[in-house]
Amino acid sequence: MKETLRTLVESFGPSGHESEIMDLIEDMIKEYVDDTYCDSIGNLIAVKKGTSGGKRIMFAAHADEIGVVVTHIDDNGFLRFASVGGLSPFTLPGNRVRFADGTIGVIGREKGDFKDITLDKLFIDIGVADKDEAAAAVQVGDFGIMHQECIDLGRRMTAKSMDDRIGCVVLIETIKKVQDTPHDLFFVFTAQEEVGIRGARTSAFAIEPDLGIAIDVTLTGDTPEAPRMEVSLGSGAAIKIKDSSLITHPKVKALMTRLAEAGDIAYQYEVLERGGTDAGAIHLSRTGVPSGTISIPCRYVHSVSEMVDKNDVQACIDLVAAICGDDLKELQ
Ligand code: CO
Ligand code: ZN
C-alpha cells in the first residue's frame, strides 16, 4: 500500500490532465478486473462482473489534484498563475511547483502583510534570467502541480495530493481484495473533481448505478484550536452524514453502519459543514441514486503535506470490500 501511495502521490495529474495518473492506475488494476476503459472526459472505469442477480454499484475516487495554470510570464521570467481547484495562497510561499516536463519552480511573493496575501501577489520562479529563457521551458496555459515528497511517519503518512490519491489507493486495494461478488462493481477513478465534481457526473450517467459510494478525504477537528468537528485521525473510516453536496441516504448510512459493526471495522460519523465529494454528482444522476461517502480523515487538506493514519485507510478498504460482498438488504 505504501509504495502504491508513493507512486500515485508523486505522479502528475492536475484537473483536466489526468492521463499519466490514469495510465498508472490502469496498469496496477487491470489483471484483477474484467474490463478497464477511459471515457471521453478522462475518467478511468474498471468493471468487475457479479455472479448474478446483484446490484450495480459505483465507487468513485477522484484521481485529479489541485494545481496551478500559468497566466502570464513577465520580462524577468517570473510566472504568474491562477489556481486549478481550491488552492489557498497561505500554503504556497516557499513551496515548489512541477510542470509536466519536470520543470521545477519556487513560489515567491510580493511585499506586504502575510495576512493580505492573495494568489495574484504570488509568482513562480523557475530559475531563469528573462522571458525568453522562461518561455523555452514553460508557456502560458501550462498546468503545474505542487512538488513534495511522500513521507512514511510510522503510524501516519504525509504527502501532497493525499486528496484524493489515498481514495484511489483504497479502491485499488479493494479491487485486489474482492473475490466473488453478486454485484456488478464499477470502480471509477474520476477526473476533474477539484474543479466542480465533473467526471463523476458523466460517469454516473453512463453507469446508471443502484448505489453510489464516493471515497474521499475529509477534515478533522483534532489539531490544536481546530474548528469544532468530531472526526479525528486514527478513529476509523468516516461515514459521511452530510456535506455541502450530499445528505447521505438513510439506507446507505444504515448499510455502512451495519457492515462496520458486523466486521469489527473502526468507524466514526462525519458531518462536514463545507465541501463536497463525487457523491454530490452521483446521487443527482438521472432520477437519483442512493449514495454515500466513506471518508479518510485527513489533516492539512489542500496543503502540500496532507496527513492520514494507516489504520483509517485500512478501515476504509475493509468497509468498501464489505459492501462489495454484502447482500445490501437495506436497498431491497
Ligand atoms: Co480536494
Ligand atoms: Zn477530494
Side-chain angles (χ1 to χ4, degrees), residues 11 31 35 46 83 97 119 121-122 132 134 191 206 210 224 226 261 268:
S11 80
E31 64 179 292
D35 191 20
S83 73
V97 170
L119 283 181
K121 293 195 164 77
L122 304 178
D132 289 344
D210 302 306
E261 295 277 352
Q268 48 192 327

Side-chain angles (χ1 to χ4, degrees), residues 62 64 162-165 193-194 215-217 276-277 301-302:
H62 68 89
D64 66 315
M162 264 324 168
D163 175 13
D164 186 27
R165 304 285 162 75
E193 189 272 353
E194 293 289 0
I215 322 294
D216 207 336
V217 299
T277 73
V301 171
H302 285 201

Side-chain angles (χ1 to χ4, degrees), residues 8 11-27 38-44 63-65 100 143 145 165 189-192:
L8 295 192
S11 80
F12 185 86
S15 305
H17 296 74
E18 298 96 348
S19 62
E20 178 184 316
I21 176 84
M22 296 302 187
D23 288 348
L24 277 170
I25 295 172
E26 189 168 25
D27 280 344
C38 273
D39 67 9
S40 54
I41 207 167
N43 298 300
L44 170 65
D64 66 315
E65 64 186 305
F143 283 61
I145 57 169
R165 304 285 162 75
F189 299 87
T190 59
Q192 299 194 38

